[in-house]
Each structure stands twice: as C-alpha cells, then as structure tokens.
Amino acid sequence: MLAACGAKADDKQMPPAEVGVMVARAETVPLVTELSGRTEASLIAEVRPQVSGIVTERLFSEGGLVRAGQPLYQIDSRLYAASASQARAALATAEATVEANRLKAERYRLLSGQGGVSKQDAADALAAYNQSRAQVAASRAALQSSQVNLGFTRVTAPITGRIGRSSVTKGALVTASQADPLAKVQQLDPMYVNIQQSGNDFMALRRSLAKGSLAAVGSIPVRIVLADGSEYPVEGKLNFTDVDVASDTGTVTLRASVPNPQGALLPGLFVRARLAQASVPNGILVPQQAVSRTPRGGASVLLVNAKGEVEARDVTADTAIGDKWLVTQGLKPGDKVIVDGLMKAKPGAKVKAVAAQPVPTAPAAQ
C-alpha cells in the first residue's frame, strides 16, 4: 500500500510558477536633465537723470507697476524753461533780421545791374542775407535743444515693468552724470532662467548628437522646480545656449524664457530646470526591479522565451528615467521581460507568463 501511494505522488507534477511579464516596446525616450538655474528679469532699465537739478516730486509708488513713458520724477524746471524762452526770443530776432537782409540783398542786386551801387556792395548784401539765414537755423537748433532739456526735467519710465525702491527723495540734488540710478524698472513677464550645465556634459551631448545615437529635440520645453520642491505650473522654452565655457566654473549657460503673468517668479531666485535636450530614438524602458546588477556594474534581465522557459539576458542600461531603466542594447521589441515573481524564476525553468500590473511612471531627471 505504501509503495502504491509513492508512485501516485511521483506521477503528480507541480504546476509551473507564475511570473508577471511586460512586453518590450521601442519608443522615443526624451532624456530629461535637471540643472540648477537662477531667475532674471527679461528687461532691466536703470532710471537716471539727463539734466541736473533739485527733485521736486516723486510721481510713483515703490514696488508698483509702471508703464513706458509714465512720469516718475519731476526736476525743478524753472531754469530750463527760462533758457527755452531765451532761445525762442533769439530765434524771433534772427527771423526778423533775415527778412530785412533779404530785401536789402534784392534791392542791391537790382541797383548793381543799373550801376547805382557797386558789385561789391551787392555781394556784401547777399552775404549778409545768407549769414542771417544760417543764424536762423542755429537759433532754431538752440531752441530745440533747450526744449529737449526742459522735457528731461520730467523723468519718465523707459520700459513697462515693476519699479523698485527709489534712491532719492523730494529735495535731493541729482546730476546728469551721476553713477547711481534713481530707481530700477524690471519687466517680469516673461522671466528668464539662466541655467548652468557642465561643459563636459554639454560636449558629450553634442558628440552623441553628431554620431546619431541621440536625436535632437526641436522646441525644448523647460519645467521650473522651485526651492520648496513644487513645480511652477507654466511651461517655458529654451531660448539659446551660450558659446563660451566659464573659466572659473567650467559650465555653459543656457537661457530659458518662462511666462510669468501673475508675477510669481521674482528676479534672483535659485531654481531647478527640467529639460530634454535630446532623445533616444529606439529606447526600451524597463522597470528598475526587473534589472539586476553585477558587482562590476553589468546589467541583466530575465526573459520568458518562446518555449516558456526563463532566459537570462545581458543588457545595457546606464540611464534611469523615473522608476525605469533605459535599455539601449540587449532587448528587442516583443521580448517578455519578467517584472514580478523574480524569486520564483530560475534560468531554464518552465514558467507561466501573465501580464504584470502596470506601475505609474514617476517623473525624474537624468
């Protein structure tokens, strides 16, 4: 009886272990890089006086929004108004003189033809007329100059933006050649983000693009991460890359333009910028738990082959994309990579492959 029971137990085989697999799929994978940066106003204008005088009024609220051409300061204009009036009177005198000289030159020309005056007198009269015309032009230019200086007594905003603290108050003496600005106006929408990237990384990226192992991204979007870890809700774009490597830091500066309609971003903030400078044309993403590493850093995965058996495969997985590894060599589309049940999967063993439960992809940087 015992022998019969043993024979029945041997005849009953254990079912194959069940493992969860994902089917490898080739796709274009953007290489997202997270770099440090600092915000900067897109336009900056320092307000300086163009004439000297006493400030009689300040016409704006510090920290407020000003429009281009809006009056900001009033400088005592009495001296400049008097100069303009004097220039206007000089122009009127010159215009009266030129009319008298014109009539004289015309009369002498006629008399010279009849022998009434000498030709020299006629030439002198014509020269006096031309000289008076030149004096009118000079007086008109002097009037325009005095009117421009009179207009400079009202200091206006050169651009539209936020104005900062005023460096002078009512009653202060300002000069046309002073080094210190009266105030600073900054345009905060859009905002620039100056991003620093290692020169070595930048050159390696260019070499990969030249070889064709990476593909260039057309319009590069940029996401801004604030100091508290929150992500700025509005997406920006990369404007340009500098052509110089800073000698002191060894970095290349990239500039992004970010819309700032609510003024949430302020100049001088340290931020992190996420951007995809290139992409892998035929990359395969594999969950990190499916990739095992050797002590020397080699990577391998377990597959379910066409016979339903477990197979070990060496792969190249050097870049982490979120919670996945980017596999560039060793896998081909359609391969069944074991994701769940790895402890039950041994190379050469028969297994039952079922679809693994999908895991949401977490955004991360290279």
Side-chain angles (χ1 to χ4, degrees), residues 34 223-232 270-274:
E34 187 169 296
R223 281 290 181 179
I224 302 302
V225 181
L226 303 178
D228 60 358
S230 61
E231 187 174 283
Y232 184 66
F270 286 100
V271 296
R272 303 284 295 178
R274 289 176 181 159

Side-chain angles (χ1 to χ4, degrees), residues 73-320:
Y73 297 92
Q74 179 63 53
I75 299 175
D76 188 358
S77 61
R78 292 174 295 175
L79 179 62
Y80 299 98
S83 297
S85 298
Q86 185 178 8
R88 191 175 294 107
L91 175 61
T93 301
E95 289 175 340
T97 302
V98 76
E99 181 62 19
N101 288 340
R102 184 186 69 79
L103 294 175
K104 183 178 180 181
E106 181 66 20
R107 185 169 61 253
Y108 272 41
R109 184 182 66 80
L110 296 175
L111 290 175
S112 175
Q114 299 172 0
V117 296
S118 66
K119 293 184 177 180
Q120 182 63 46
D121 290 340
D124 291 343
L126 180 60
Y129 167 60
N130 290 333
Q131 186 177 6
S132 61
R133 290 177 60 194
Q135 184 60 44
V136 168
S139 299
R140 186 174 288 112
L143 175 59
Q144 292 175 346
S145 177
S146 61
Q147 289 174 334
V148 168
N149 287 332
L150 178 61
F152 283 156
T153 59
R154 175 154 287 202
V155 182
T156 60
I159 61 173
T160 298
R162 292 281 177 181
I163 191 167
R165 180 179 60 88
S166 174
S167 64
V168 297
T169 60
K170 181 179 178 179
L173 173 65
V174 296
T175 60
S177 59
Q178 70 179 50
D180 297 331
L182 304 181
K184 183 167 68 173
V185 183
Q186 302 182 83
Q187 188 179 96
L188 306 184
D189 184 23
M191 182 71 75
Y192 285 155
V193 180
N194 294 323
I195 308 164
Q196 305 299 321
Q197 184 176 25
S198 166
N200 293 334
D201 293 344
F202 181 73
M203 294 304 297
L205 175 65
R206 293 186 64 178
R207 287 193 296 269
S208 298
L209 291 172
K211 290 189 299 183
S213 56
L214 296 180
V217 178
S219 178
I220 301 179
V222 179
R223 281 290 181 179
I224 302 302
V225 181
L226 303 178
D228 60 358
S230 61
E231 187 174 283
Y232 184 66
V234 184
E235 183 179 86
K237 64 178 180 179
L238 192 67
N239 281 359
F240 81 98
T241 301
D242 205 350
V243 296
D244 296 325
V245 178
S247 57
D248 52 346
T249 61
T251 58
V252 176
T253 299
L254 294 76
R255 171 170 287 179
S257 176
V258 182
N260 190 31
Q262 304 300 324
L265 295 178
L266 299 177
L269 289 177
F270 286 100
V271 296
R272 303 284 295 178
R274 289 176 181 159
L275 63 157
Q277 294 174 281
S279 61
V280 179
N282 294 302
I284 296 176
L285 294 176
V286 175
Q288 291 188 2
Q289 71 267 21
V291 180
S292 60
R293 296 280 178 178
T294 65
R296 293 189 176 183
S300 63
V301 296
L302 295 178
L303 309 176
V304 178
N305 59 24
K307 299 179 181 180
E309 297 176 350
V310 178
E311 176 186 334
R313 180 84 58 83
D314 292 333
V315 296
T316 300
D318 299 327
T319 305

